[in-house]
Each structure stands twice: as C-alpha cells, then as structure tokens.
C-alpha cells in the first residue's frame, strides 16, 4: 500500500522575525520534508510564504524530488513586510492544493 499526501507549508516571514529566524523557518521546513518521499506517487509539497502579501513559491507538481525541493527552499529570499495571515490562508485554500 502506498501512502500519498499533499502538504502545503504556509510560512509567515514578516520583517519583525529577522534574518536569523527566517533561516530557522527554512531549516524547519527542510527538516520536516526530509522525512518524506517526494515524488508524484507519494508526497507532493508546496510552499506559500507571506508577509504583507502571500506568494506561491512553488506548487505541488513543481517539486518531484527532494533535491529540487531543498534547492527551492534555499532560494527563498527574505523580503520582510507585515503579516497578512488571512490572505495567505485564502491562497492556501484556493491555490495551495492545485497541482
């Protein structure tokens, strides 16, 4: 039996967290996903980061292996801004689970 999952991370990255905590958030996401088998037959992962506005970093179908995922998370840049959680959750609901 194959266990399948779609996992969407929604990460709050406002200016108030600072660069050190930004890096900790990225490390948390990478460590969590390192326990998954990332491919179309097992686990698909997407990432939404937000501060003043949400941004879909990548969709579920974009990451087909763990190395691509790790590289994509490493390339997320710290933009700062406010915290608009409601828009990020709306994006997760409307776009997060779309392949």
């Amino acid at each position: 039996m194959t266990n399948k999952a779609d996992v969407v991370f929604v990460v709050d990255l406002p200016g108030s967290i600072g660069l050190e905590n930004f890096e900790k958030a990225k490390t948390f996401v990478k460590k969590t996903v390192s326990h998954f088998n990332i491919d179309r037959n097992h686990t698909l992962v997407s990432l939404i980061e937000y501060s003043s506005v949400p941004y879909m970093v990548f969709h579920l179908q974009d990451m087909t292996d763990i190395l691509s995922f790790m590289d994509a998370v490493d390339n997320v840049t710290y933009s700062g801004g406010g915290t608009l959680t409601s828009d990020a959750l709306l994006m997760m609901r409307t776009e997060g689970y779309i392949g």
Side-chain angles (χ1 to χ4, degrees):
M1 183 166 132
T2 302
N3 293 325
K4 293 185 179 186
D6 292 337
V7 179
V8 178
F9 286 92
V10 181
V11 182
D12 185 10
L13 301 173
S16 61
I17 70 164
L19 189 55
E20 182 178 339
N21 288 324
F22 166 72
E23 291 299 328
K24 286 180 182 179
K26 289 181 12 177
T27 299
F28 168 78
V29 169
K30 288 171 41 177
K31 281 184 177 181
T32 302
V33 170
S34 71
H35 300 283
F36 300 152
N37 185 3
I38 305 296
D39 66 38
R40 288 189 174 93
N41 295 316
H42 295 96
T43 304
L44 297 176
V45 182
S46 67
L47 176 64
I48 298 170
E49 61 101 351
Y50 72 100
S51 53
S52 297
V53 293
Y55 172 71
M56 179 66 71
V57 179
F58 49 84
H59 293 89
L60 291 171
Q61 296 292 332
D62 293 344
M63 297 297 121
T64 57
D65 62 79
I66 193 71
L67 293 176
S68 298
F69 173 83
M70 296 296 181
D71 286 343
V73 173
D74 283 339
N75 288 323
V76 173
T77 58
Y78 181 55
S79 58
T83 297
L84 198 53
T85 306
S86 61
D87 284 358
L89 294 176
L90 178 62
M91 178 177 276
M92 180 192 64
R93 195 180 86 219
T94 59
E95 298 177 41
Y97 290 98
I98 297 173

